[in-house]
Structure formats: structure tokens, C-alpha cells
Amino acid sequence: MTIGIGLLGLGTVGAGVAQILASPQGRHPLVAELALRRVAVRDLQRPRPIDLDSALLTTDPEAVIDDPAVEIVVEVMGGLEPARSLILRAIAAGKPVVTANKAVIARYGEEIAAAAAQRGVYVLIEAAVGGGIPIIEPLKQSLGANRIQRVSGIINGTTNYILSRMADEGAAYGEVLADAQRLGYAEADPAADVQGGDAADKIAILAALAYGGSVPRQAIPTNGIDRLDARDVAYAEQLGYGVKLLAVAEQVGLAADGAAELDVSVNPTLVPRAHPLAGVNGVNNAILVEGDPVGRVMFYGPGAGAGPTASAVVADILNIAGIRQVSGVTSQGQPAPLDPLLAAGSWRPCRLVDPAQTRHRNYVRLRTTDQAGVIGRIGTCFGDAGVSLQSIVQFQAQGGDGGQAEIVVITHEVSEAAFRTAMAAIEALPVVDHVAACLRTL
Ligand code: NAP
Ligand code: HSE
């Protein structure tokens, strides 16, 4: 039984999906039953990496959804609108949706899930996080028996590619970003990658699945790599760390009303060389899930690009196609009840805790006067605030007038409130010129 697929978008990911559908040999037999019926693009004249019958192409995405031959809608156009409205239109028409659009799911996931549950259709999102890495289905299904304590990872391929090449080759930031765009890793607006927004979208999605309720996307504290100084990467290296853009979601409490209290954030972070995330380089992503009773499970693989992302999109299409086959449902028939694990609805509220109440290790670089007693005064400010230090090191200041030093401090795990108190006192010291960098440390 052939299943009609409608594609919204034929860019990096859409073309990757079309390529898989066009070459089913050697893949699961269900792939051969998927037939591309319509494809929406913005520009009909744009050259494509795949040879498609031009009659399939349209610039009207609604026509794709409304086409009776389209049974599953695949949204890979990106952006918030019209993507959100098109997903809702497909759901209203009773058509299951597969999307790679983390920006839409992180912001409108609740609305979309409610509409899908009411209409009895699946909306599957494996490609939205981690590119080709299976992480959404494992969180929904294979790890469902666990109390999840922490989900942390490198979940933006573009920034990991940039950081890796800067560290390995000393390559220039702008040049490597241009390469990431050419390779199809970056978002249409790469600010989403380098400012951390894409990783924040993804950790919002992972947290919602891991903890059972939606997380307020706009409230996630987010710092990207766009203001990261190469000097901090070099100092980190000398101290035994690599710098990675880490997204973290951790349960820190359980409220009286049953809500999970979460610390969720995205930050450039010093990762000790021996940590499993430190060896994740290039466009690869890795997600470390810590749960009770499973312990630590790490998912690793290519986090962006046409082939890996299309692999995840087609896996979702196959999931839906398989269910339709066993339930015998056609586009005209009544939908079968949804599998609650695959549909993954919310089962409790989730709240972000006040960042001042969270606890972390920190890296700080201070530009100071180079004179006797400076390290002592800085140490006293930390000590007075109850901030315990792991190390404090002086480096030779670069580009200064010779009378300045750079002091690099790594703290033990301390409360954010105490850390802020110490930093306010340090900034007020006459010997401190300015705080040059403040990063997290694992
Ligand atoms: P892309 O290369 O920019 O492709 C977007 C496609 O959508 C293009 O074919 C474009 O048409 C079409 N399109 C955009 N707006 C449209 C509109 N209003 N009407 C009709 N067609 C429209 O983007 P991408 O990299 O494939 O990413 C697609 C989605 O997948 C995004 O949500 C992205 O975040 C997500 N994603 C991407 C990757 C990756 O590695 N690239 C990985 C995971 C998830 P034209 O070709 O005519 O311009
Ligand atoms: N721009 C994203 C990244 C694509 O670099 O990770 C994959 O979601």
C-alpha cells in the first residue's frame, strides 16, 4: 500500500529526504512504499541537488497539505510562520506530521500536541534535536521507566564544528562559520546557532520529554559562542579543559504541587579533558542522559547536515507508515487511538527555578593591575561570599601596557547567588580593571 508524502521545503533537509525516498534499495521495505506527491518551495527556479519531476513542485504550501494524495506532511521549511500554521492545518486535516523544526516545537509544542491529541494524529520530531542521533524516541520510550536527573549535551553542530576547528587549526571564526553554512549545518539565520538560541530550543524540547511537561522557552538563560574569546579557549586548554557549548537540564527539586523544578541553561562551558563530552568534535553532537535506575547513557553522532537529519525524518515517516499498515487506517478512515508513548503528552507541570538559586562551577578571567597582593584580595572576596576555589592562576596579560595581569579563577560548585555577591565585590576592587570572561565549568 503506497503512502503519499507531502514535503514542505526542499532545502538541505528536504533534499536529503527526497534522496532517501528516491533510492529505497537496501533500506527497510517500507521505504519503497513512500511516494513523494507534492513539494513546496519558495523559488521554483532554484537549482536542486536532486532531480525531481517539476510537476511535483509548487510555491503554495497549503496546496501540499490539501492534496488528497498527501497522507503524511513533512515540514522541513524552518522558521516560525508559516511553519506553525501549516503544521496546525495538516493536523486539522487529520494528517500526521513529521517536522525537524525545533524553533516551532520549542515555542508552540504544547499547542501543537493538544491539537494533535484532539484530532488523533501523530506529530513526530526526531530530527528536531541531534540531527541523525536517535534521542527523542529513546527519551519517550526506551528510557520511560527512569526518573531523569540530568540531560546535558552538545546539541548544536554548527558551534561544535566552529569550536573544534578553532581549537585544532586556529581557524578564524568567520571563515569556519561560512564553511558551516556551505555544508548545510547552520540555520537560515546563523545567529540562532552562535548565540545559543538553537541549543536553547533543543534543550527545551529534551527537558519537556525528560520531565513530562513543557518548559518556558523564553526563560531559559542562554549564552552562545559569539562573544567567546580565543584566549579563554587557550587558557582552558592549558588548565586541562576543552570549551564546548553545553545545554543542560537538571531536576533540582519537586514542588509541593508535584511540579518538577528545573535548572535549564545554555552556556559555553569548560569540560575536563577526561569527560565523555570533551571528545565530541566537529559537527558531532552528544547527549548524556542520567537517570534512576539506568545510570548514565550517552547518545553520539552527526548533529546536523542533509543525510543525518533526513535519516531521522524518514525514521519518523516509517513509524507512522508502520502504524498505518498494522491498523489498516487510510486517509479516509477513522484514526486509531494514539500510542501514548509515541505521542508523548505532558503528565506534570515543569518550572524553571530562579537562576540565583542554582549551583555551578565557574571560570572567571579578570584583567587586573600586576602588583603584590592582588590574588590575595580577589581570594578574600570569594572567601567572604562563601565561594570555594579550585584554582587561581596568573597569566601574562596580552596587549596590555605591561603593568597588567590576567587572573583566571575556577571555583568549586557554589550557589549562583554567592558567586554573584563575590563578583560584585571583585569588580569594585580598585586593582581590578574589568571582568574579561565568565564561563561555566563542568
Ligand atoms: P533550508 O536549506 O533553508 O531549506 C528550507 C526550504 O524551505 C527551502 O527549500 C525553501 O525553499 C523552503 N521554504 C522556506 N520558506 C518557504 C515558504 N514560505 N514556502 C515554501 N517553501 C519555503 O533549511 P534546512 O537546513 O533544510 O532546515 C529545514 C528545517 O530543518 C529547519 O527547521 C531547521 O531548523 C531544521 N533542521 C535542519 C538541520 C540541518 O542540518 N540543516 C538539522 C536539523 C533540523 P527554496 O529552496 O525555494 O528557498
Ligand atoms: N543548525 C543546527 C545545528 C542544525 O548546527 O545543530 C541541526 O539542528
Side-chain angles (χ1 to χ4, degrees):
M1 181 173 62
T2 303
I3 297 169
I5 307 299
L7 261 188
L8 305 178
L10 191 63
T12 300
V13 182
V17 171
Q19 250 145 9
I20 294 176
L21 300 192
S23 63
Q25 308 78 6
R27 310 188 199 278
H28 191 283
L30 260 182
V31 177
E33 308 203 11
L34 307 174
L36 204 51
R37 299 295 193 203
R38 294 305 292 279
V39 181
V41 294
R42 223 170 357 204
D43 177 2
L44 290 173
Q45 308 310 323
R46 192 174 154 191
R48 308 281 165 190
I50 177 161
D51 197 17
L52 278 189
D53 178 356
S54 61
L56 292 179
L57 299 185
T58 172
T59 54
D60 179 3
E62 293 184 354
V64 173
I65 294 168
D66 298 345
D67 188 329
V70 167
E71 293 163 273
I72 300 176
V73 174
V74 178
E75 187 277 303
V76 283
M77 66 198 309
L80 296 180
E81 286 292 354
R84 168 187 156 273
S85 301
L86 292 167
I87 290 170
L88 291 170
R89 185 182 183 97
I91 293 168
K95 298 188 181 185
V97 176
V98 172
T99 179
N101 194 330
K102 55 270 174 153
V104 162
I105 296 300
R107 288 164 186 77
Y108 304 109
E110 249 186 321
E111 177 190 26
I112 288 168
Q118 209 227 338
R119 194 62 178 79
V121 296
Y122 291 102
V123 174
L124 300 188
I125 61 166
E126 186 59 70
V129 184
I133 305 172
I135 180 62
I136 300 290
E137 292 313 321
L139 273 179
K140 289 197 294 197
Q141 310 204 37
S142 328
L143 293 168
N146 288 274
R147 292 189 193 98
I148 304 295
Q149 295 143 343
R150 201 162 193 265
V151 179
S152 56
I154 296 165
I155 50 177
N156 183 269
T158 300
T159 46
N160 205 46
Y161 176 78
I162 294 172
L163 289 174
S164 302
R165 284 199 49 201
M166 284 175 73
D168 295 349
E169 307 162 24
Y173 175 88
E175 197 181 294
V176 196
L177 173 57
D179 282 349
Q181 289 178 283
R182 191 177 42 75
L183 291 164
Y185 302 158
E187 295 302 300
D189 177 359
D193 296 294
V194 299
Q195 293 175 3
D198 178 76
D201 290 345
K202 291 167 175 169
I203 196 68
I205 293 170
L206 295 182
L209 291 172
Y211 298 108
S214 92
V215 167
R217 163 64 184 85
Q218 299 307 340
I220 297 176
T222 303
N223 293 295
I225 65 159
D226 50 330
R227 283 176 295 162
L228 184 64
D229 192 318
R231 212 170 324 170
D232 294 304
V233 178
Y235 288 158
E237 176 76 16
Q238 290 181 52
L239 295 169
Y241 298 85
V243 179
K244 298 290 184 189
L245 185 65
L246 281 202
V248 180
E250 182 172 12
Q251 180 163 2
V252 293
L254 187 63
D257 66 355
E261 297 177 322
L262 306 178
D263 176 12
V264 183
S265 64
V266 175
N267 287 292
T269 303
L270 275 71
V271 179
R273 245 180 244 132
H275 192 281
L277 291 173
V280 177
N281 292 315
V283 73
N284 289 309
N285 283 189
I287 300 116
L288 188 62
V289 181
E290 294 164 63
D292 170 31
V294 73
R296 288 174 133 201
V297 185
M298 190 158 110
F299 299 82
Y300 169 82
T309 312
S311 155
V313 169
V314 176
D316 277 348
I317 299 174
L318 291 174
N319 253 322
I320 294 167
I323 289 168
R324 290 170 81 87
Q325 279 215 338
V326 293
S327 64
V329 174
T330 68
S331 53
Q332 286 79 39
Q334 288 303 306
L338 293 179
D339 170 347
L341 290 182
L342 191 58
S346 295
W347 46 271
R348 67 170 164 185
C350 288
R351 274 182 223 124
L352 297 190
V353 290
D354 174 357
Q357 306 307 317
T358 59
R359 294 181 66 80
H360 310 280
R361 293 178 71 211
N362 305 279
Y363 162 102
V364 183
R365 173 163 59 91
L366 304 162
R367 179 64 81 115
T368 70
T369 307
D370 190 6
Q371 67 182 54
V374 172
I375 288 185
R377 264 171 270 173
I378 290 167
T380 300
C381 292
F382 279 121
D384 288 349
V387 172
S388 167
L389 302 186
Q390 177 192 290
S391 69
I392 182 160
V393 183
Q394 178 168 336
F395 289 92
Q396 187 64 46
Q398 295 168 8
D401 59 8
Q404 289 207 316
E406 288 203 311
I407 312 284
V408 169
V409 179
I410 295 183
T411 73
H412 284 300
E413 186 181 286
V414 295
S415 91
E416 182 66 19
F419 179 68
R420 287 179 191 175
T421 302
M423 290 307 295
I426 287 166
E427 282 190 87
L429 289 175
V431 291
V432 172
D433 187 59
H434 64 279
V435 178
C438 207
L439 306 173
R440 289 273 168 87
T441 303
L442 260 193

